[in-house]
Amino acid sequence: MTNDNTGTEDGASQPRWQPIKAIDRRVLGVLVEKAKTTPDAYPLSLNALVTGCNQKNNRYPLSQYEAEHIEDSVDRLRLMGAVAAVQGSGRVGKYRHYMYEWLGVEKIELSIMTELLLRGAQTEGDLRGRVARMDPIPDLATLRSLLDSLKAKGLVQALTPEGRGQIISHTLYLPEEMEKVRRNAQATDAATPAHAPTPAHSPAPSHSSPQPSARPAAEPAGRHEESSRSAPADNGDTAALRREVTELRTAIAQLRSDLADLVGQTQKNTDELAALRQSLGG
Protein backbone atom coordinates (compact mmCIF):
# COMPACT_ATOMS: atom_id res chain seq x y z
CA MET A 1 0.00 0.00 0.00
CA THR A 2 1.20 3.52 -0.76
CA ASN A 3 2.16 5.97 1.94
CA ASP A 4 0.50 9.25 0.88
CA ASN A 5 3.31 11.43 2.19
CA THR A 6 6.34 9.51 0.96
CA GLY A 7 5.20 7.81 -2.20
CA THR A 8 6.82 4.50 -1.30
CA GLU A 9 5.24 1.21 -2.26
CA ASP A 10 5.21 -2.25 -0.68
CA GLY A 11 5.11 -3.96 -4.04
CA ALA A 12 5.32 -3.19 -7.74
CA SER A 13 2.08 -2.87 -9.70
CA GLN A 14 1.17 -1.91 -13.23
CA PRO A 15 -0.45 1.52 -13.73
CA ARG A 16 -4.19 1.34 -14.41
CA TRP A 17 -4.95 4.95 -15.30
CA GLN A 18 -7.33 5.96 -18.06
CA PRO A 19 -9.06 9.15 -19.29
CA ILE A 20 -11.84 10.10 -16.88
CA LYS A 21 -14.60 12.67 -16.41
CA ALA A 22 -13.94 16.18 -15.07
CA ILE A 23 -15.60 15.46 -11.73
CA ASP A 24 -13.51 12.29 -11.31
CA ARG A 25 -10.32 14.24 -11.99
CA ARG A 26 -11.35 16.82 -9.39
CA VAL A 27 -12.08 14.13 -6.78
CA LEU A 28 -8.70 12.46 -7.31
CA GLY A 29 -6.88 15.78 -7.21
CA VAL A 30 -8.55 16.75 -3.93
CA LEU A 31 -7.79 13.41 -2.27
CA VAL A 32 -4.09 13.67 -3.11
CA GLU A 33 -3.92 17.38 -2.23
CA LYS A 34 -5.44 16.87 1.21
CA ALA A 35 -3.29 13.80 1.89
CA LYS A 36 -0.19 15.93 1.25
CA THR A 37 -1.22 19.28 2.74
CA THR A 38 -3.53 18.32 5.64
CA PRO A 39 -2.58 14.73 6.53
CA ASP A 40 -4.25 14.95 9.96
CA ALA A 41 -7.64 15.40 8.24
CA TYR A 42 -7.06 12.55 5.75
CA PRO A 43 -8.76 10.22 4.67
CA LEU A 44 -11.72 12.41 3.74
CA SER A 45 -15.39 12.03 4.55
CA LEU A 46 -17.90 12.61 1.76
CA ASN A 47 -18.73 16.07 3.13
CA ALA A 48 -15.03 17.01 3.30
CA LEU A 49 -14.56 15.77 -0.25
CA VAL A 50 -17.49 17.88 -1.49
CA THR A 51 -16.04 20.94 0.26
CA GLY A 52 -12.59 20.29 -1.20
CA CYS A 53 -13.93 19.89 -4.72
CA ASN A 54 -15.91 23.15 -4.54
CA GLN A 55 -13.39 25.35 -2.73
CA LYS A 56 -12.54 28.66 -4.41
CA ASN A 57 -8.74 28.63 -4.19
CA ASN A 58 -6.38 26.35 -6.14
CA ARG A 59 -9.18 25.26 -8.49
CA TYR A 60 -9.91 25.89 -12.17
CA PRO A 61 -12.59 25.89 -13.27
CA LEU A 62 -14.61 26.53 -10.12
CA SER A 63 -17.36 23.98 -9.47
CA GLN A 64 -20.50 23.47 -7.44
CA TYR A 65 -20.88 19.71 -7.23
CA GLU A 66 -23.59 18.17 -5.09
CA ALA A 67 -22.91 15.35 -2.62
CA GLU A 68 -24.65 12.78 -4.81
CA HIS A 69 -22.43 13.71 -7.77
CA ILE A 70 -19.30 13.24 -5.69
CA GLU A 71 -20.61 9.96 -4.34
CA ASP A 72 -21.24 8.67 -7.87
CA SER A 73 -17.73 9.74 -8.83
CA VAL A 74 -16.20 7.92 -5.87
CA ASP A 75 -18.09 4.76 -6.82
CA ARG A 76 -16.68 4.92 -10.37
CA LEU A 77 -13.17 5.52 -9.10
CA ARG A 78 -13.42 2.63 -6.66
CA LEU A 79 -14.30 0.32 -9.55
CA MET A 80 -11.22 1.62 -11.40
CA GLY A 81 -8.99 0.91 -8.40
CA ALA A 82 -8.05 4.58 -7.89
CA VAL A 83 -9.99 5.13 -4.63
CA ALA A 84 -10.93 3.00 -1.62
CA ALA A 85 -13.40 3.39 1.23
CA VAL A 86 -12.02 3.13 4.76
CA GLN A 87 -13.73 3.04 8.13
CA GLY A 88 -13.65 6.44 9.79
CA SER A 89 -14.36 7.35 13.39
CA GLY A 90 -17.84 6.31 14.40
CA ARG A 91 -20.03 5.43 11.45
CA VAL A 92 -18.70 8.05 9.05
CA GLY A 93 -17.23 6.44 5.96
CA LYS A 94 -14.07 7.99 4.52
CA TYR A 95 -12.11 7.76 1.30
CA ARG A 96 -8.45 7.52 0.36
CA HIS A 97 -6.60 7.42 -2.95
CA TYR A 98 -4.37 4.82 -4.57
CA MET A 99 -2.89 7.27 -7.05
CA TYR A 100 0.75 6.21 -6.72
CA GLU A 101 -0.17 2.74 -7.92
CA TRP A 102 -2.96 3.82 -10.28
CA LEU A 103 -0.73 6.26 -12.16
CA GLY A 104 2.58 4.49 -11.56
CA VAL A 105 4.35 7.63 -10.29
CA GLU A 106 6.70 8.77 -7.55
CA LYS A 107 6.21 11.37 -4.81
CA ILE A 108 6.91 14.68 -6.61
CA GLU A 109 5.52 13.36 -9.90
CA LEU A 110 2.19 12.89 -8.13
CA SER A 111 2.26 16.47 -6.84
CA ILE A 112 2.74 17.70 -10.42
CA MET A 113 -0.15 15.55 -11.63
CA THR A 114 -2.31 16.80 -8.78
CA GLU A 115 -1.85 20.46 -9.70
CA LEU A 116 -2.64 19.67 -13.33
CA LEU A 117 -5.76 17.77 -12.28
CA LEU A 118 -6.93 20.63 -10.04
CA ARG A 119 -6.15 23.56 -12.37
CA GLY A 120 -5.80 22.15 -15.88
CA ALA A 121 -3.20 23.16 -18.46
CA GLN A 122 -0.67 25.80 -17.30
CA THR A 123 2.79 27.13 -17.96
CA GLU A 124 5.89 25.46 -16.54
CA GLY A 125 6.63 28.47 -14.34
CA ASP A 126 3.14 28.54 -12.86
CA LEU A 127 3.16 24.78 -12.37
CA ARG A 128 6.46 24.83 -10.47
CA GLY A 129 5.24 27.59 -8.14
CA ARG A 130 1.95 25.86 -7.41
CA VAL A 131 3.44 22.42 -6.81
CA ALA A 132 5.64 23.96 -4.10
CA ARG A 133 2.77 23.90 -1.59
CA MET A 134 3.03 20.09 -1.68
CA ASP A 135 6.62 19.40 -2.77
CA PRO A 136 9.22 22.09 -3.54
CA ILE A 137 10.97 21.91 -6.92
CA PRO A 138 14.29 23.81 -6.83
CA ASP A 139 14.39 25.04 -10.43
CA LEU A 140 12.92 24.66 -13.90
CA ALA A 141 15.61 22.17 -14.90
CA THR A 142 14.40 19.82 -12.17
CA LEU A 143 10.78 20.35 -13.16
CA ARG A 144 11.56 19.56 -16.80
CA SER A 145 13.33 16.37 -15.80
CA LEU A 146 10.23 15.31 -13.85
CA LEU A 147 7.98 16.27 -16.76
CA ASP A 148 10.14 14.19 -19.11
CA SER A 149 9.55 11.20 -16.82
CA LEU A 150 5.79 11.84 -16.83
CA LYS A 151 5.80 12.26 -20.61
CA ALA A 152 7.54 8.91 -20.97
CA LYS A 153 4.71 7.40 -18.91
CA GLY A 154 2.14 9.04 -21.18
CA LEU A 155 0.70 11.14 -18.35
CA VAL A 156 1.57 14.68 -19.53
CA GLN A 157 2.14 16.46 -22.80
CA ALA A 158 3.32 19.86 -24.00
CA LEU A 159 0.63 21.86 -25.79
CA THR A 160 2.83 24.70 -27.06
CA PRO A 161 6.40 24.93 -28.39
CA GLU A 162 9.35 24.46 -26.10
CA GLY A 163 10.68 27.54 -24.30
CA ARG A 164 9.62 30.08 -21.71
CA GLY A 165 5.88 30.00 -21.13
CA GLN A 166 5.41 26.50 -22.56
CA ILE A 167 1.98 25.16 -21.58
CA ILE A 168 1.76 21.66 -20.06
CA SER A 169 -1.28 19.42 -19.66
CA HIS A 170 -2.09 16.04 -18.18
CA THR A 171 -3.57 13.38 -20.49
CA LEU A 172 -6.48 12.16 -18.36
CA TYR A 173 -8.97 14.28 -20.32
CA LEU A 174 -11.61 12.51 -22.38
CA PRO A 175 -10.81 12.81 -26.13
CA GLU A 176 -13.28 15.62 -26.86
CA GLU A 177 -12.02 17.57 -23.84
CA MET A 178 -8.38 17.08 -24.81
CA GLU A 179 -8.97 18.62 -28.21
CA LYS A 180 -10.64 21.64 -26.61
CA VAL A 181 -7.79 22.08 -24.12
CA ARG A 182 -5.27 21.90 -26.96
CA ARG A 183 -7.09 24.56 -29.00
CA ASN A 184 -7.30 26.90 -26.00
CA ALA A 185 -3.59 26.53 -25.25
CA GLN A 186 -2.61 27.21 -28.83
CA ALA A 187 -4.88 30.26 -28.98
CA THR A 188 -3.33 31.60 -25.77
CA ASP A 189 0.18 30.98 -27.06
CA ALA A 190 -0.58 32.74 -30.35
CA ALA A 191 -1.99 35.76 -28.50
CA THR A 192 0.97 36.07 -26.13
CA PRO A 193 3.67 38.47 -27.40
CA ALA A 194 7.22 37.19 -27.54
CA HIS A 195 9.16 37.93 -24.38
CA ALA A 196 11.79 40.61 -24.69
CA PRO A 197 15.38 39.62 -23.90
CA THR A 198 16.16 39.74 -20.21
CA PRO A 199 18.05 42.99 -19.45
CA ALA A 200 21.53 42.72 -18.03
CA HIS A 201 21.95 43.25 -14.32
CA SER A 202 25.02 45.45 -14.79
CA PRO A 203 25.75 48.50 -16.96
CA ALA A 204 26.87 47.98 -20.55
CA PRO A 205 30.64 47.66 -20.98
CA SER A 206 32.46 50.97 -21.31
CA HIS A 207 35.72 51.49 -23.18
CA SER A 208 36.90 53.67 -20.33
CA SER A 209 36.29 51.16 -17.57
CA PRO A 210 38.24 47.91 -17.12
CA GLN A 211 36.29 44.63 -17.26
CA PRO A 212 36.76 41.71 -14.90
CA SER A 213 38.91 38.93 -16.24
CA ALA A 214 36.50 36.15 -15.19
CA ARG A 215 32.73 35.73 -15.60
CA PRO A 216 30.54 34.98 -12.57
CA ALA A 217 29.66 31.35 -12.02
CA ALA A 218 26.73 30.27 -14.21
CA GLU A 219 23.35 29.83 -12.60
CA PRO A 220 21.84 26.35 -12.52
CA ALA A 221 19.93 25.52 -15.71
CA GLY A 222 16.46 27.10 -15.66
CA ARG A 223 17.06 29.20 -12.51
CA HIS A 224 17.55 32.49 -14.36
CA GLU A 225 14.58 31.81 -16.62
CA GLU A 226 12.32 31.07 -13.69
CA SER A 227 13.45 34.11 -11.73
CA SER A 228 12.61 36.34 -14.70
CA ARG A 229 9.05 34.94 -14.63
CA SER A 230 8.29 34.63 -10.94
CA ALA A 231 10.53 37.17 -9.20
CA PRO A 232 9.58 40.69 -10.36
CA ALA A 233 12.34 42.11 -8.15
CA ASP A 234 14.84 41.15 -10.87
CA ASN A 235 13.04 42.88 -13.75
CA GLY A 236 10.67 45.31 -12.10
CA ASP A 237 6.96 44.61 -12.44
CA THR A 238 7.12 43.55 -16.10
CA ALA A 239 7.43 39.81 -15.52
CA ALA A 240 4.53 39.76 -13.05
CA LEU A 241 2.33 41.73 -15.46
CA ARG A 242 3.17 39.40 -18.33
CA ARG A 243 2.26 36.43 -16.21
CA GLU A 244 -1.08 37.95 -15.22
CA VAL A 245 -1.85 38.83 -18.85
CA THR A 246 -1.08 35.26 -19.93
CA GLU A 247 -3.38 33.84 -17.24
CA LEU A 248 -6.17 36.26 -18.23
CA ARG A 249 -5.82 35.31 -21.90
CA THR A 250 -6.02 31.64 -20.97
CA ALA A 251 -9.20 32.27 -18.97
CA ILE A 252 -10.73 34.35 -21.79
CA ALA A 253 -9.93 31.66 -24.36
CA GLN A 254 -11.61 29.08 -22.11
CA LEU A 255 -14.69 31.29 -21.67
CA ARG A 256 -14.96 31.84 -25.42
CA SER A 257 -14.76 28.12 -26.04
CA ASP A 258 -17.37 27.42 -23.35
CA LEU A 259 -19.66 30.10 -24.82
CA ALA A 260 -19.33 28.60 -28.31
CA ASP A 261 -20.24 25.19 -26.91
CA LEU A 262 -23.24 26.68 -25.08
CA VAL A 263 -24.47 28.47 -28.22
CA GLY A 264 -24.15 25.27 -30.20
CA GLN A 265 -26.05 23.27 -27.59
CA THR A 266 -28.78 25.93 -27.37
CA GLN A 267 -29.24 25.88 -31.13
CA LYS A 268 -29.43 22.10 -31.07
CA ASN A 269 -32.08 22.19 -28.34
CA THR A 270 -34.05 24.82 -30.28
CA ASP A 271 -34.00 22.70 -33.44
CA GLU A 272 -35.09 19.61 -31.51
CA LEU A 273 -37.95 21.53 -29.86
CA ALA A 274 -39.12 22.88 -33.23
CA ALA A 275 -39.07 19.37 -34.68
CA LEU A 276 -41.03 18.04 -31.72
CA ARG A 277 -43.67 20.76 -32.06
CA GLN A 278 -43.99 20.04 -35.74
CA SER A 279 -44.41 16.32 -35.13
CA LEU A 280 -47.15 17.12 -32.58
CA GLY A 281 -48.90 19.44 -34.99
CA GLY A 282 -48.03 22.52 -32.98
Side-chain angles (χ1 to χ4, degrees):
M1 183 178 295
T2 301
N3 181 302
D4 294 295
N5 294 314
T6 64
T8 58
E9 299 179 15
D10 293 337
S13 61
Q14 292 297 317
R16 292 164 286 174
W17 66 271
Q18 63 187 72
I20 51 179
K21 295 180 178 181
I23 187 172
D24 299 343
R25 299 192 300 267
R26 178 63 58 88
V27 167
L28 289 177
V30 169
L31 284 171
V32 179
E33 175 194 52
K34 300 308 181 185
K36 286 177 173 284
T37 61
T38 57
D40 291 343
Y42 178 83
L44 301 182
S45 67
L46 179 62
N47 286 340
L49 194 49
V50 172
T51 300
C53 287
N54 294 333
Q55 73 181 51
K56 303 305 181 184
N57 59 311
N58 301 318
R59 305 287 184 267
Y60 183 83
L62 298 181
S63 62
Q64 196 57 49
Y65 295 122
E66 301 294 336
E68 56 266 30
H69 301 148
I70 300 299
E71 194 167 20
D72 289 343
S73 174
V74 168
D75 288 341
R76 283 193 299 272
L77 293 168
R78 289 176 64 187
L79 290 175
M80 297 178 197
V83 168
V86 297
Q87 185 60 46
S89 58
R91 296 183 179 181
V92 178
K94 295 191 174 183
Y95 302 98
R96 59 155 297 158
H97 72 83
Y98 285 137
M99 288 289 279
Y100 288 108
E101 298 90 344
W102 198 67
L103 293 176
V105 295
E106 301 298 330
K107 182 174 184 285
I108 304 181
E109 290 176 338
L110 184 56
S111 295
I112 293 172
M113 288 297 297
T114 299
E115 280 301 330
L116 291 171
L117 289 171
L118 291 175
R119 294 184 188 247
Q122 52 197 287
T123 65
E124 290 178 327
D126 289 340
L127 181 58
R128 174 179 167 249
R130 290 163 176 168
V131 170
R133 66 196 181 94
M134 291 182 282
D135 286 301
I137 299 177
D139 50 45
L140 274 179
T142 302
L143 173 64
R144 287 168 178 163
S145 176
L146 291 163
L147 289 174
D148 286 343
S149 174
L150 290 169
K151 289 175 185 176
K153 296 173 182 178
L155 289 167
V156 303
Q157 63 177 295
L159 301 181
T160 58
E162 190 173 326
R164 184 186 301 179
Q166 184 178 47
I167 298 175
I168 302 296
S169 169
H170 66 74
T171 59
L172 272 63
Y173 290 103
L174 297 173
E176 59 273 19
E177 292 179 290
M178 188 72 256
E179 183 57 34
K180 182 178 177 181
V181 169
R182 187 177 290 107
R183 289 198 308 267
N184 288 340
Q186 291 171 351
T188 299
D189 184 61
T192 302
H195 292 278
T198 303
H201 294 285
S202 57
S206 168
H207 293 294
S208 61
S209 60
Q211 299 302 310
S213 58
R215 295 174 61 85
E219 293 181 352
R223 180 71 57 81
H224 180 71
E225 175 181 335
E226 173 63 16
S227 65
S228 68
R229 287 181 54 79
S230 60
D234 289 344
N235 298 319
D237 293 332
T238 304
L241 289 173
R242 283 175 177 157
R243 180 173 172 176
E244 290 178 7
V245 168
T246 298
E247 290 179 349
L248 285 171
R249 283 177 171 147
T250 300
I252 290 170
Q254 179 69 50
L255 288 171
R256 285 175 175 168
S257 180
D258 291 344
L259 179 59
D261 290 346
L262 180 60
V263 170
Q265 186 61 48
T266 301
Q267 184 61 52
K268 180 181 177 182
N269 293 342
T270 301
D271 294 343
E272 290 176 351
L273 181 60
L276 178 62
R277 284 176 174 169
Q278 185 175 10
S279 68
L280 295 174

